[in-house]
Amino acid sequence: MSYAFRELFRLDDVDVLPAAGGKEVCFADLFPAIGVPSPLQDWAANVRLAEAPQIFLLEDVTGAGKTEAAVMLAHRLMAAGRADGFFIGLPTMATANAMYSRIAGIYARLFVDHPSLVLAHGQRSLVEAFAASVLPSGQQERDREQLDETATARCSAWLADHNKRALLAPAGVGTLDQALLAVLHSKHQSLRLLGLFRKVLIVDEVHACDAYMQGVLEALLEFHSRVGGSAVLLSATLPQRMKQALIGAFARGHQGESPSLIGAPYPMVTSWSPPFGIQEKGITTRESVKRSLAVRYECDEQEIVHAIERMLCQGRCVCWIRNTVADAISAYVRFQERLPREKLTLFHARFALRDRLNIEDEVLRCFGKDSTPQERGGRLVIATQVAEQSLDVDWDFVVSDLAPIDRLIQRAGRLQRHSRDALGRRARDLDARDERGEPCLWVFGPAWTDEPQSNWFKQVFEKASAVYPNHAQVWLTAGLLQRGRIEMPGHAREFIEAVFGADVQSPAALEKNASAAEGQGYADASIAQQNAVKIAQGYTRGGIDWWSEAKTPSRLGEEQMNVLLARWQGDELKPWVDGSHGWAYSSVRVAERLIARGDEPASPARSKALEQVLPQLPGKGKWSVLIPLDRTENGWQGAAWAKPRRDGDERRLTWLYDARLGLRQGEDNGGEDE
């Protein structure tokens, strides 16, 4: 590298050069707030490390300290000179935000200096904690103040400027998508792959990957292993065949044969490296996170409502996790007249970003590890899947709509997650017994039958039938719940394999549905293989025409549209959220089949106002749909055009928005499916 090039970019100042790892320390020094490490954490602190690239797969119950164990492994690899940093990939922006908050306070202990910590996802600049950590452009990075061990997280402005640079940071947290793009036919692919070089790739909630994402992750692990990187995968609920595929991909990257796994015990740590081969070790888990949950399977929705009301009257905090936004809104409206406004929260993905971040903060404050009885008591949260992963929250009573067993285990992990006394005060001793009584997970589902009809699931959950398309897996889950109890970790392996195992049999009436869902999974995995960069081919055209502006999706599924909400003030158009980044904070993602293009303004004056606003929008509005809202007797209301149906029929749909309910369809849309 020439001297002129180095001076032009001042690579040492923008934090892209490898950061020195500190001397290896014990677990207590790295995590002083944890008095006694869990068995998993103790294993991570003492396991023998290989000289070569290695992969670890940590399976343990929710709350067992998998994140700290992964960070401990990353620290030891860095201290031994086998890695220069880490990146933690999570399934969603919400979970990435929560993880960033956890890592920000400890990451500097892993390095000699105080390097940059990046939050990597599309809305990172709008997360206040991260935005506050970005240093002014040109500020000296290693002054005495910045090296203070008590300093908060920080990030160089150059790294924070764009996601394509984010993986170059020594430390990073973000959505898994940012790492997957390193092996997809996409612009800046090679820069992202370079950013992961000699990093420890940590993938949390790895079970959340669908068939397509798993296929891309396998390609990433193969590349990462080939160039000498190590990986740590975390999960509470991972099917055996998924474990086999992921570890096999890493082994192939090091030109090794795919190892055969046995995988019987649970919890379990599985590792592979060239010198040691495959190693599987069963471990115990912390006594306080061993769960014996009673399960009540209930098909009467009114009984669900009565149970929630009883718990609230007793001063308990409650969460009902629903499978769709529409069902969550319906439940919220049902309780709206029964509870004070400040005691009821709706939490789903269809809020303007500013409102959603506010709700996330409220949920973490009122139900997080350090929440008080005054903050928790008598409060009800109606949530969707946004509450089931990586959020360190704890409710006294949890109800869930019926979903596949891996999702239910995750949701159950939010039930009495932290030991508390009878009043809801958190116990300081991690192994203290919870005094709130036996936890009981209520599951709302169709009436159980040994011989289901083909519409068994859809007749109760019409909208959710598309969210979980394999209805045989849902039925198998319901069958397991008839036992009336979930033992964790005792039932974990048995239950997961009973639903997702290779030899599972579907009932006759659901066989067609199960075959279609399984076939779609194979198709999605095939697309992943097609879209991923091939090691053997190198950077040559072959099969796919890869042009400079190529952008291959990191996820499949229903196409989403970025919707920008605005409000009319007379004939002046304002973003829904005032202030800095107002348009970005006013954005929400919606299925393109529901919102594909905007509606025409009602007057010439408003048309002119719209034309004046378009240049101010992200991308000048090219990739978004703007929905201006008018204040009406029904609330803030606007309209947009849905994607034409196959018969060419176009539909103009009415939309309502407020900060309590989010974006929802008007009642005049003829029952359009959400």
Side-chain angles (χ1 to χ4, degrees):
M1 182 183 298
S2 72
Y3 175 80
F5 183 85
R6 182 184 177 95
E7 283 301 299
L8 176 64
F9 287 93
R10 295 192 60 83
L11 296 181
D12 51 348
D13 282 348
V14 296
D15 262 4
V16 299
L17 296 179
K23 181 181 178 181
E24 183 173 335
V25 299
C26 67
F27 187 87
D29 289 337
L30 197 58
F31 300 100
I34 300 177
V36 179
S38 70
L40 176 64
Q41 294 164 346
D42 185 66
W43 172 88
N46 294 286
V47 64
R48 182 185 176 192
L49 301 178
E51 297 288 342
Q54 49 212 296
I55 185 171
F56 302 94
L57 200 159
L58 313 184
E59 298 174 274
D60 206 342
V61 299
T62 300
K66 293 187 289 293
T67 298
E68 291 81 4
V71 171
M72 187 70 202
L73 288 171
H75 160 65
R76 295 183 62 208
L77 288 166
M78 291 164 56
R82 296 167 202 167
D84 296 328
F86 65 88
F87 178 79
I88 305 177
L90 295 112
T92 66
M93 286 194 291
T95 55
N97 294 343
M99 183 63 72
Y100 174 82
S101 298
R102 296 173 64 184
I103 296 298
I106 63 170
Y107 85 99
R109 300 175 192 150
L110 279 64
F111 301 92
V112 172
D113 293 329
H114 198 145
S116 288
L117 172 66
V118 166
L119 177 61
H121 61 63
Q123 306 292 352
R124 67 200 174 283
S125 62
L126 305 181
V127 178
E128 293 176 359
F130 176 66
S133 76
V134 178
L135 298 172
S137 182
Q139 178 173 331
Q140 289 296 318
E141 299 292 319
R142 293 177 170 81
D143 60 27
R144 187 176 301 277
E145 178 184 355
Q146 291 300 327
L147 290 179
D148 183 349
E149 290 184 359
T150 64
T152 57
R154 67 173 190 83
C155 182
S156 77
W158 190 82
L159 287 171
D161 185 54
H162 200 288
N163 274 333
K164 68 184 179 184
R165 304 170 184 165
L167 297 185
L168 295 170
V173 176
T175 54
L176 179 58
D177 307 68
Q178 302 303 322
L180 296 182
L181 287 170
V183 291
L184 289 169
H185 292 253
S186 186
K187 193 174 182 180
H188 307 302
Q189 167 270 328
S190 56
L191 182 64
R192 293 173 184 271
L193 197 59
L194 175 64
L196 289 173
F197 180 69
R198 282 185 57 83
K199 300 275 175 60
V200 181
L201 174 63
I202 301 173
V203 182
D204 198 7
E205 310 283 7
V206 69
H207 58 270
C209 293
D210 58 20
Y212 177 81
M213 292 182 71
Q214 179 187 335
V216 180
L217 178 57
E218 289 173 24
L220 176 60
L221 290 172
E222 187 173 353
F223 266 85
H224 197 55
S225 173
R226 178 67 64 92
V227 297
S230 293
V232 184
L233 312 181
L234 312 179
S235 179
T237 55
L238 197 64
Q240 181 75 0
R241 52 182 173 177
M242 190 172 180
K243 288 175 56 179
Q244 182 76 54
L246 293 171
I247 292 182
F250 190 89
R252 286 196 306 274
H254 207 73
Q255 299 179 320
E257 295 184 359
S258 180
S260 296
L261 307 183
I262 300 174
Y266 183 93
M268 173 180 255
V269 291
T270 306
S271 62
W272 181 90
S273 63
F276 298 154
I278 192 70
Q279 295 186 320
E280 298 176 280
K281 177 179 176 60
I283 58 172
T284 59
T285 196
R286 191 189 297 277
E287 285 297 323
S288 61
V289 296
K290 290 181 179 179
R291 314 299 302 278
S292 180
L293 303 176
V295 175
R296 174 160 173 171
Y297 187 88
E298 182 57 63
C299 60
D300 185 346
E301 188 170 3
Q302 193 58 41
E303 281 297 316
I304 297 288
V305 173
H306 289 332
I308 291 174
E309 290 177 333
R310 287 196 300 271
M311 290 296 173
L312 294 174
C313 288
Q314 295 172 18
R316 303 295 185 94
C317 59
V318 180
C319 181
W320 185 358
I321 303 179
R322 310 230 58 185
N323 289 334
T324 70
V325 173
D327 289 335
I329 291 175
S330 176
Y332 180 91
V333 171
R334 189 165 190 168
F335 282 96
Q336 205 168 16
E337 300 301 322
R338 309 179 189 209
L339 290 173
R341 182 183 179 91
E342 68 275 9
K343 294 290 188 180
L344 181 60
T345 301
L346 181 64
F347 185 24
H348 60 69
R350 204 182 287 173
F351 283 96
L353 182 61
R354 176 68 276 164
D355 294 334
R356 177 169 173 174
L357 291 174
N358 289 341
I359 294 170
E360 282 183 24
D361 290 343
E362 177 188 1
V363 169
L364 288 169
R365 175 177 58 82
C366 293
F367 308 103
K369 181 183 297 185
D370 296 318
S371 57
T372 65
Q374 292 73 29
E375 291 169 325
R376 302 166 58 82
R379 293 182 64 110
L380 170 62
V381 176
I382 308 290
T384 58
Q385 293 89 337
V386 296
E388 76 183 20
Q389 293 176 332
S390 291
L391 291 180
D392 193 6
V393 289
D394 165 26
W395 285 285
D396 302 327
F397 182 63
V398 172
V399 178
S400 172
D401 288 354
L402 179 62
I405 188 64
D406 58 334
R407 300 302 184 99
L408 288 183
I409 290 175
Q410 290 294 319
R411 296 174 189 185
R414 275 67 200 161
L415 171 60
Q416 297 189 16
R417 181 181 178 92
H418 300 294
S419 295
R420 297 180 183 272
D421 65 18
L423 298 177
R425 293 174 297 201
R426 182 185 166 216
R428 294 303 167 186
D429 182 355
L430 293 177
D431 289 318
R433 188 176 66 86
D434 195 289
E435 299 177 2
R436 288 173 286 180
E438 182 184 39
C440 183
L441 176 70
W442 282 49
V443 178
F444 173 47
W448 170 251
T449 174
D450 290 328
E451 299 181 357
Q453 299 297 312
S454 60
N455 66 343
W456 176 79
F457 187 58
K458 189 173 183 178
Q459 66 182 344
V460 176
F461 297 112
E462 182 177 0
K463 298 177 176 65
S465 65
V467 177
Y468 303 116
N470 192 326
H471 300 170
Q473 291 179 348
V474 180
W475 177 83
L476 289 164
T477 297
L480 293 172
L481 299 179
Q482 304 311 305
R483 301 186 186 184
R485 186 162 293 277
I486 297 177
E487 302 279 355
M488 294 295 289
H491 285 158
R493 186 78 71 203
E494 174 192 354
F495 278 20
I496 293 298
E497 295 304 320
V499 174
F500 299 106
D503 300 325
V504 170
Q505 296 295 315
S506 304
L510 298 178
E511 201 168 290
K512 181 178 179 180
N513 168 272
S515 296
E518 188 173 355
Q520 186 60 54
Y522 285 127
D524 291 348
S526 177
I527 295 172
Q529 290 183 348
Q530 183 181 14
N531 288 349
V533 179
K534 310 296 188 298
I535 289 180
Q537 292 179 359
Y539 290 101
T540 61
R541 296 178 185 267
I544 294 179
D545 187 20
W546 187 6
W547 65 101
S548 62
E549 296 297 323
K551 185 176 181 181
T552 306
S554 55
R555 303 178 189 229
L556 293 184
E558 190 170 34
E559 293 184 5
Q560 299 285 305
M561 179 60 71
N562 190 49
V563 175
L564 300 175
L565 301 177
R567 47 191 169 84
W568 288 112
Q569 291 184 350
D571 288 335
E572 188 178 6
L573 198 57
K574 299 286 188 181
W576 175 258
V577 178
D578 292 323
S580 178
H581 303 296
W583 288 113
Y585 277 127
S586 301
S587 65
V588 59
R589 302 284 288 178
V590 181
E592 188 179 7
R593 63 181 170 82
L594 297 175
I595 298 179
R597 63 183 177 90
D599 195 30
E600 293 297 324
S603 69
R606 288 192 167 189
S607 294
K608 183 177 180 180
L610 179 59
E611 291 176 5
Q612 292 173 342
V613 160
L614 287 176
Q616 306 171 25
L617 303 181
K620 297 184 177 180
K622 186 177 180 181
W623 311 113
S624 305
V625 171
L626 181 67
I627 299 185
L629 303 167
D630 266 310
R631 188 188 291 275
T632 71
E633 60 181 10
N634 295 322
W636 289 94
Q637 181 172 306
W641 290 83
K643 187 175 183 178
R645 290 176 169 145
R646 292 182 180 178
D647 59 7
D649 181 32
E650 287 196 306
R651 300 153 294 149
R652 180 181 181 273
L653 302 180
T654 300
W655 291 90
L656 300 171
Y657 188 82
D658 65 65
R660 296 285 293 179
L661 291 173
L663 188 64
R664 62 200 187 281
Q665 291 192 37
E667 295 180 358
D668 58 348
N669 288 342
E672 175 67 25
D673 183 15
E674 292 193 60

